[in-house]
Amino acid sequence: MHKTLDVITIGEAMAMFVATETGELSAVEHFIKRVAGAELNVATGLARLGLNVGWVSRVGDDSFGRFVLDSLKKEGIDSAGVTRDGRFATGFQLKSKVENGTDPIVEYFRKGSAASHLSVEDYHADYFASARHLHLSGVAAALSASSYALLDHAASTMNAQGKTISFDPNLRPVLWKSEAEMVEKLNHLAFQADWVLPGVKEGMILTGESTPEGIADFYLNKGVKAVVLKTGADGAWFKTAEGEQGAVAAVKVENVVDTVGAGDGFAVGVISALLEGKPLQQAVARGNRIGSLAIQVQGDSEGLPTRAELNE
């Protein structure tokens, strides 16, 4: 019998080498090794807040794979759903250092990685049934057709079991054959979710709508319960199936260090608060707070707070 989990998420983790000096990646000589991956960032943030989190993936039987597994152990994330696949390597990435608040340059070495071979075979019914919530992102959906099939199967099965589902589109156009395929496939997943969390630009691409309300209504009309839009420097805007809506102001940050991981931090805040039964407006405010903490440090998950740090 598996222990009861609050959340399961599915995705790819990579070793990440973050430059310790600014400049062209080709010229940088020193890097810090970290783990990276949108879904793992969310799992890490939720685990630090005290939730029981399971992360489902594949890693290679290599030093990077062992590094990922060690990171899960350190963060208290359940790894029973992770397969060590000796046939394929664990991916890695290089990330530049920026000090002016712009997005860093990231180069990925992930093609054919172990995680891209995720499939419905990685759906272990008892394990998924032990969780009350499923969080999915468009990154894992884009890895391969077999990975997408796993997400779709997990969503439809857990939906039928009455579990809640959140979905962050996390668009990665370069990983898809075409924008049309990306839009169709990601919307199919979004329509199965209770809570959809796009950035406003992502929402425009996925729905063809040009306003937050238009984007929200596109999903609400398909049965989604709540849509929360990240609106950049303005903060966030939300609307529910009951018609409740509102804007939540951003938390002002003096020094933006690294924008990568802000959306994952936002997801951590919203999901954790909703699973605690907090009203949506409070959940969105927590999302803004954690997103603001994430961008004040270098690294994808270094700024995600513990429960004590959040309470401060």
Side-chain angles (χ1 to χ4, degrees):
M1 182 68 188
H2 292 289
K3 72 175 185 182
T4 305
L5 296 170
D6 293 303
V7 181
I8 280 183
T9 186
I10 306 167
E12 175 171 33
M14 290 164 281
M16 173 173 68
F17 294 90
V18 188
T20 59
E21 59 210 79
T22 57
E24 290 285 332
L25 277 171
S26 58
V28 172
E29 293 187 359
H30 300 102
F31 295 82
I32 306 165
K33 188 169 71 166
R34 296 283 186 263
V35 289
E39 303 85 3
L40 183 55
N41 293 339
V42 174
T44 299
L46 293 172
R48 285 185 191 167
L49 294 179
L51 281 81
N52 290 323
V53 185
W55 180 73
V56 174
S57 190
R58 287 179 175 251
V59 296
D61 190 11
D62 48 35
S63 57
F64 289 163
R66 289 189 287 279
F67 176 55
V68 169
L69 290 169
D70 288 345
S71 299
L72 295 175
K73 195 170 181 181
K74 191 174 112 190
E75 296 290 350
I77 298 167
D78 189 89
S79 62
V82 181
T83 299
R84 279 172 107 158
D85 191 332
R87 300 168 301 162
F88 309 104
T90 309
F92 70 96
Q93 59 172 262
L94 302 177
K95 181 170 157 184
S96 69
K97 180 178 182 179
V98 291
E99 292 178 332
N100 57 1
T102 59
D103 292 344
I105 302 296
V106 183
E107 290 187 6
Y108 296 96
F109 300 84
R110 75 197 306 180
K111 193 172 177 62
S113 67
S116 72
H117 291 84
L118 278 163
S119 73
V120 175
E121 286 176 20
D122 295 287
Y123 186 88
H124 302 294
D126 288 351
Y127 188 64
F128 278 83
S130 73
R132 62 188 175 114
H133 182 79
L134 174 68
H135 176 68
L136 300 178
S137 128
V139 181
L143 292 176
S144 63
S146 65
S147 177
Y148 181 87
L150 169 62
L151 268 62
D152 189 26
H153 181 71
S156 59
T157 306
M158 290 184 75
N159 218 333
Q161 293 169 349
K163 311 296 180 82
T164 52
I165 299 172
S166 52
F167 180 66
D168 183 343
N170 235 323
L171 299 190
R172 297 290 191 275
V174 70
L175 295 178
W176 293 94
K177 291 192 188 79
S178 68
E179 184 174 291
E181 182 194 39
M182 175 178 76
V183 168
E184 182 203 346
K185 296 278 193 186
L186 294 187
N187 279 335
H188 176 71
L189 291 176
F191 297 158
Q192 299 181 70
D194 297 273
W195 316 323
V196 178
L197 314 170
V200 72
K201 287 180 185 168
E202 292 178 324
M204 288 176 180
I205 292 167
L206 290 170
T207 68
E209 298 289 339
S210 59
T211 64
E213 188 151 19
I215 294 164
D217 287 344
F218 177 87
Y219 291 112
L220 296 172
N221 290 336
K222 293 289 185 179
V224 171
K225 293 189 174 67
V227 179
V228 183
L229 284 154
K230 292 159 276 191
T231 52
D234 292 334
W237 186 91
F238 67 90
K239 187 174 180 182
T240 70
E242 285 80 43
E244 181 194 357
Q245 60 180 277
V248 180
V251 176
K252 296 297 177 213
V253 173
E254 292 297 322
N255 184 29
V256 177
V257 175
D258 186 344
T259 55
V260 176
D264 301 329
F266 182 81
V268 168
V270 174
I271 294 164
S272 63
L274 290 176
L275 289 178
E276 289 165 23
K278 298 267 193 289
L280 185 56
Q281 180 135 7
Q282 283 182 32
V284 177
R286 184 188 287 184
N288 283 346
R289 275 180 66 202
I290 296 181
S292 76
L293 294 172
I295 62 177
Q296 295 181 63
V297 296
Q298 192 173 23
D300 290 14
S301 61
E302 279 64 26
L304 298 173
T306 62
R307 177 67 66 173
E309 288 165 344
L310 181 67
N311 290 340
E312 283 173 18

